[in-house]
């Protein structure tokens, strides 16, 4: 078995996740996250895997920017595209891109569900080896956020 697939990150990745279904759930969750000890790695799937965790300033900036992006581009009266391994003591968070949802809850035929757009993890992430190219607008948003 590939050692990356048996890494602590992949084991956590395959665990149980809860959806933050309502926008007010997400708002409370961001507040919890701000007070959850890290280190926090912030990973945009399709970009190089971070080798160092983000500092608190970068985490705060990411939370503010991703919240604004989700609220602007996920034109639903519910959230439902942020998943956490725990809403009280999170250590792995999957955030789906509103423009690339596919069927995030399950697979369609033989196709696996799409990967999230962003991951927050207290464990060092590993390359998710996506074949999807990060759209130029997302790449610019990401680079502006962390430049």
């Amino acid at each position: 078995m590939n050692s990356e697939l048996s890494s602590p990150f992949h084991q956590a990745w395959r665990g149980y996740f809860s959806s933050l279904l309502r926008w007010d759930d997400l708002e409370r969750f961001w507040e919890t996250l701000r007070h959850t000890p890290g280190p926090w790695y912030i990973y945009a799937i399709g970009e190089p895997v971070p080798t160092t965790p983000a500092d608190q300033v970068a985490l705060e900036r990411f939370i503010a920017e991703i919240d604004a992006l989700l609220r602007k581009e996920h034109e639903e009266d519910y959230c439902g595209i942020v998943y956490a391994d725990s809403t009280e003591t999170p250590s792995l968070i999957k955030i789906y891109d509103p423009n690339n949802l596919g069927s995030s809850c399950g697979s369609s035929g033989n196709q696996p569900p799409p990967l999230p757009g962003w991951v927050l993890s207290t464990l060092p992430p590993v390359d998710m080896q996506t074949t999807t190219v990060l759209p130029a607008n997302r790449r610019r948003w990401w680079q502006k956020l962390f430049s």
Side-chain angles (χ1 to χ4, degrees):
M1 176 182 232
N2 183 334
S3 64
E4 260 193 10
L5 294 178
S6 63
S7 71
F9 179 81
H10 266 99
Q11 290 175 0
W13 184 269
R14 292 188 299 264
Y16 178 79
F17 286 80
S18 297
S19 171
L20 294 147
L21 192 55
R22 298 185 334 248
W23 290 111
D24 58 332
D25 294 338
L26 182 63
E27 204 167 299
R28 282 190 300 277
F29 180 72
W30 291 144
E31 194 56 37
T32 298
L33 183 61
R34 286 181 176 99
H35 301 290
T36 302
W40 285 102
Y41 292 86
I42 305 172
Y43 175 31
I45 305 287
E47 287 290 298
V49 177
T51 57
T52 58
D55 62 21
Q56 189 66 29
V57 172
L59 178 65
E60 291 281 347
R61 185 172 60 238
F62 178 76
I63 290 171
E65 293 290 332
I66 197 71
D67 186 73
L69 183 141
L70 296 177
R71 289 174 189 274
K72 177 182 176 194
E73 295 188 13
H74 188 54
E75 298 172 347
E76 303 292 342
D77 59 356
Y78 59 89
C79 176
I81 57 176
V82 177
Y83 293 79
D85 60 350
S86 168
T87 57
E88 301 299 318
T89 56
S91 62
L92 186 60
I93 302 153
K94 300 175 183 179
I95 304 169
Y96 287 85
D97 187 332
N99 293 319
N100 185 32
L101 291 177
S103 175
S104 60
C105 296
S107 61
S108 173
N110 292 331
Q111 297 296 322
L115 289 172
W118 306 273
V119 175
L120 293 166
S121 175
T122 58
L123 296 168
V126 297
D127 188 354
M128 296 308 291
Q129 300 178 359
T130 181
T131 56
T132 305
V133 176
L134 194 63
N137 64 332
R138 289 292 189 247
R139 179 164 276 132
R140 283 189 302 274
W141 177 85
W142 179 256
Q143 289 171 345
K144 178 182 161 201
L145 188 60
F146 287 99
S147 62

